[in-house]
Amino acid sequence: MNSIIVLLKVIFRQPVLVGALCLLPLATANAQRDIPFSGPFPTAPTGLENIPMGEGPWIYPTAEGMDIKVSVVAKLEYPMALEFLPDGKLLVITRRGEIYLIEDGEMQSNPIMGGPPSVFAGESGAGGTSHGYIDLVKHPDFENNQLLYLSYTKPKPEGTNNIAIGRARWNGSSLENFTDIFDPGPGVYGVARLAFGHNGKLYVTTNGTDPQSLQTLSGKVLRLNDDGSAPLDNPFVGNSEARPEIFSYGHRGALGLAIHPETGEVFQNENGPNGGDELNWIKPGYNYGWPLVSLGRTYPGPWQTNDRPTHAIFEPPIVYWTPAIAVSGMLFYTGDALPAWKNDILVGALRTGEIPGTGHLERIMLNRDYQEIRRESLIIDLRQRVRDIEMGPDEFIYLATEQRDGAILKIEPAD
Ligand SMILES: [Ca+2]
């Protein structure tokens, strides 16, 4: 007992030690707090909302010393994707399952006819949503065949709606002969981005619940011929345990896909859960790790895995985001009109750090080996969900901001 009293006397002469002792039992006795959940997700705060688009234009200084002007080309609800045609016309598709034509800066009031029926449900950013029309790309030989490819949520009689891909001929004012070329079936839902590679193959991102299984098409990057069939030089052709359409696997929540305009290399981005968004350099047959490795946290808070961020047998991302920015459409900018950004990658953000109303644009400078040098957040104050990014024939940058008060924006030098 005497020794304990001596020890206490020693301790209480040391204010720092006393403070530490007082903190210890408090930290264990009181869990910090419990977080309210909406289904599997923490209830999102409502303090910030996506704000309606103003009239603009807006002038911004940027990090590389290039002032930019951002202006509104058109306002419309929920634009999902943009595609420029060789004659300079711009096609816009929406979550509602509509296609609009913008010509000489004017959007036609009536939607384009000829697209397929689709399913649109829920508010952007919430769980359980489905998007009507998702992505639209032209065939590499569009000048000769006028073919457009569309990914969309296909209504199914049994209620198991899933992503499908179809193509149609553009006659200058509408789509003709829309025909499905690929239907991966139940379990593939959410968003499917499309991009034609330099080899004429159609790359497709998929989401769903089986990213590590080679026997399903969810959570993959697929590589298809332009008629929807599987190319014979795909990495798993000849493997009876694998689907021949698979190009890479182990993906979660892919919302972006870009082919480097000069090298033809394939890049995909995907959403982690709470953190751990990734930009991946896609190589044939590689496993990108989800859900076995991740830099993200599960929504209740613990890390997704203890092997974060990666493991030798999985391919790590070239860029990652923690906190998450809900990475979406992306573009390697190789134009000359915005010279300070040449060869940078632009990535859309739907929201930052799990807070609604915080969408923006990010620019990342990469070195020759696609390693990150620096990154910049842009147009933060507009608080728009930047869903898709395209370079126009004028080499300016065009954005689709996907929300109820959404818009098509143009970025050009300030003068
Ligand atoms: Ca990964």
Side-chain angles (χ1 to χ4, degrees):
M1 180 60 86
N2 280 347
S3 61
I4 292 177
I5 290 170
V6 169
L7 177 61
L8 285 174
K9 284 179 177 172
V10 170
I11 287 173
F12 280 92
R13 280 198 296 268
Q14 308 292 326
V16 173
L17 260 181
V18 173
L21 283 173
C22 291
L23 279 176
L24 277 174
L26 279 176
T28 50
N30 298 328
Q32 191 200 10
R33 58 174 162 165
D34 294 320
I35 307 297
F37 272 68
S38 305
F41 308 111
T43 306
T46 56
L48 295 177
E49 293 182 351
N50 296 308
I51 57 176
M53 181 63 68
E55 298 305 316
W58 301 268
I59 306 289
Y60 297 93
T62 68
E64 308 292 342
M66 180 179 69
D67 291 358
I68 58 170
K69 180 171 87 171
V70 179
S71 50
V72 177
V73 176
K75 294 183 179 182
L76 72 165
E77 287 190 343
Y78 303 121
M80 279 292 282
L82 307 170
E83 182 72 346
F84 281 97
L85 301 180
D87 60 6
K89 292 175 182 169
L90 174 59
L91 294 175
V92 183
I93 59 172
T94 75
R95 285 189 71 219
R96 292 189 181 281
E98 299 159 327
I99 310 175
Y100 289 95
L101 177 67
I102 297 177
E103 185 174 8
D104 299 326
E106 291 290 319
M107 189 175 81
Q108 292 183 359
S109 51
N110 293 321
I112 297 293
M113 304 303 288
S118 65
V119 182
F120 156 72
E123 188 66 31
S124 295
T129 55
S130 70
H131 311 293
Y133 289 178
I134 297 164
D135 208 358
L136 181 75
V137 294
K138 56 185 176 292
H139 190 280
D141 196 26
F142 178 87
E143 299 259 23
N144 291 312
N145 62 24
Q146 293 84 47
L147 289 176
L148 291 170
Y149 288 69
L150 176 76
S151 58
Y152 67 105
T153 303
K154 186 180 178 67
K156 291 291 181 68
E158 64 273 30
T160 54
N161 307 324
N162 64 268
I163 301 291
I165 299 165
R167 66 179 176 184
R169 192 175 305 280
W170 171 249
N171 67 11
S173 60
S174 63
L175 301 184
E176 291 178 350
N177 302 321
F178 184 89
T179 310
D180 282 339
I181 62 156
F182 190 72
D183 184 339
V188 178
Y189 47 79
V191 166
R193 283 287 186 186
L194 307 177
F196 273 100
H198 288 187
N199 47 25
K201 305 305 182 194
L202 179 63
Y203 295 86
V204 182
T205 63
T206 65
N207 301 300
T209 53
D210 292 317
Q212 289 294 324
S213 169
L214 290 174
Q215 297 178 338
T216 74
L217 296 179
S218 63
K220 311 296 186 312
V221 174
L222 311 179
R223 181 174 178 263
L224 306 175
N225 290 316
D226 67 356
D227 63 359
S229 61
L232 294 177
D233 59 348
N234 268 4
F236 297 106
V237 167
N239 178 346
S240 61
E241 304 291 307
R243 293 287 301 258
E245 301 91 344
I246 295 174
F247 191 67
S248 66
Y249 63 112
H251 297 298
R252 181 190 192 275
L255 303 186
L257 180 64
I259 309 295
H260 194 288
E262 290 169 1
T263 68
E265 289 160 315
V266 181
F267 294 82
Q268 166 262 26
N269 70 43
E270 61 186 73
N271 285 251
N274 184 352
D277 292 1
E278 301 181 348
L279 169 56
N280 291 305
W281 183 0
I282 301 297
K283 299 166 187 173
Y286 279 49
N287 183 349
Y288 290 78
W290 180 261
L292 305 176
V293 292
S294 172
L295 267 157
R297 295 179 178 277
T298 59
Y299 290 105
W303 291 106
Q304 169 72 20
T305 71
N306 290 324
D307 288 325
R308 63 184 190 275
T310 190
H311 188 277
I313 61 171
F314 304 114
E315 185 68 2
I318 60 171
V319 175
Y320 66 86
W321 288 264
T322 296
I325 62 163
V327 283
S328 190
M330 61 181 178
L331 170 78
F332 278 98
Y333 181 71
T334 52
D336 292 315
L338 293 146
W341 294 356
K342 187 161 180 142
N343 295 318
D344 293 351
I345 190 164
L346 298 165
V347 184
L350 299 176
R351 68 178 195 181
T352 307
E354 309 298 320
I355 308 291
T358 54
H360 62 278
L361 176 67
E362 297 216 347
R363 177 189 64 85
I364 301 169
M365 177 183 283
L366 304 170
N367 69 13
R368 288 186 180 277
D369 297 319
Y370 301 117
Q371 294 157 337
E372 178 178 350
I373 301 300
R374 55 181 176 263
R375 68 176 94 176
E376 177 177 22
S377 295
L378 298 157
I379 61 168
I380 301 167
D381 60 310
L382 299 184
R383 304 223 310 257
Q384 295 284 303
R385 293 167 53 84
V386 177
R387 176 67 88 163
D388 198 22
I389 310 171
E390 287 288 329
M391 184 175 79
D394 49 15
E395 299 190 347
F396 299 146
I397 294 163
Y398 291 79
L399 310 178
T401 76
E402 180 264 307
Q403 51 198 59
R404 190 176 296 275
D405 295 295
I408 310 304
L409 301 178
K410 178 169 71 170
I411 301 177
E412 59 193 308
D415 45 44

